[in-house]
Amino acid sequence: IFEQDSQRTTVTPGECIAYDVSRPHSISNPTQTEHLVVVIPKHLAAGYDLHLTNLASQRFSARSGIGHITRELVETSLERGWGADPGCEHEIADLLLRSLRLSLMQSKSRSLLSARESLLRQAQTYIDQHLRDPTLDVEHIAAALGCSKRYLHMAFAAKGTSVEKYIWSSRLDQ
């Protein structure tokens, strides 16, 4: 059971989950299990349009299709070691990130609406944590969450408000 941003996702054997490891999360298991964890630096992931800070955790099947290929690639790369073929590390990383991107794109759980809702929750949490910061503004929030100012505005507009109004009303409430 994976939990992050007040969302709970059950991951079954043969499934993978992609999420932002820099944000608080928890993983619990009713039985003993083995996990394979790959951490990808944000700047590297961003080059492949993998902006997990903008998304809710994304689950995909590794039993068949591109998800299976992605899992096999990770396992084989780790078993043989990155240095097995000197000079190929960048190409292997490129292949892994491209297949991960395809796996997430084919995932049924990925939708623009859930991405915006996730970004909205993250932005609200960030704002609530930084309300006393006098420099808190759209630019700082977007930079902290790794998204564009326009996308941040769109996330709040979908809920009928603006970033500035949310900051203002939160400060008044405090």
Side-chain angles (χ1 to χ4, degrees):
I1 299 170
F2 174 85
E3 294 182 69
Q4 187 175 52
D5 296 333
S6 302
Q7 286 188 325
R8 187 179 196 148
T9 304
T10 301
V11 183
T12 60
E15 290 183 323
C16 296
I17 189 165
Y19 60 94
D20 183 356
V21 298
S22 69
R23 293 196 338 266
H25 63 279
S26 68
I27 299 172
S28 59
N29 300 297
T31 61
Q32 186 173 351
T33 59
E34 182 176 298
H35 299 246
L36 174 60
V37 178
V38 177
V39 178
I40 302 167
K42 284 184 182 183
H43 72 278
L44 187 59
Y48 290 83
D49 197 29
L50 295 170
H51 301 283
L52 294 175
T53 54
N54 297 346
L55 301 169
S57 59
Q58 297 299 309
R59 184 177 58 169
F60 64 92
S61 175
R63 292 183 194 103
S64 62
I66 190 67
H68 179 73
I69 293 170
T70 301
R71 189 195 80 218
E72 289 291 320
L73 176 62
V74 169
E75 288 176 355
T76 302
S77 297
L78 293 174
E79 285 172 6
R80 294 189 182 181
W82 290 107
D85 295 315
C88 294
E89 295 89 358
H90 295 290
E91 287 79 7
I92 292 171
D94 178 65
L95 184 59
L96 173 61
L97 289 165
R98 288 177 187 274
S99 65
L100 177 59
R101 183 174 181 272
L102 284 172
S103 299
L104 291 171
M105 286 173 56
Q106 290 186 349
S107 170
K108 292 179 183 176
S109 65
R110 183 172 185 194
S111 73
L112 187 57
L113 183 59
S114 65
R116 281 197 188 149
E117 288 176 350
S118 176
L119 176 61
L120 179 65
R121 279 196 309 274
Q122 291 172 46
Q124 289 171 330
T125 299
Y126 183 86
I127 290 167
D128 294 343
Q129 292 172 347
H130 295 87
L131 272 178
R132 295 180 185 261
D133 181 354
T135 64
L136 182 66
D137 62 10
V138 174
E139 189 171 328
H140 285 97
I141 298 165
L145 298 179
C147 69
S148 69
K149 293 185 288 185
R150 177 171 163 66
Y151 195 68
L152 186 61
H153 281 298
M154 289 168 42
F156 277 85
K159 293 295 181 183
T161 190
S162 70
V163 180
E164 293 83 1
K165 284 181 184 177
Y166 184 83
I167 293 170
W168 183 73
S169 65
S170 296
R171 283 180 171 158
L172 285 176
D173 288 345
Q174 286 256 324

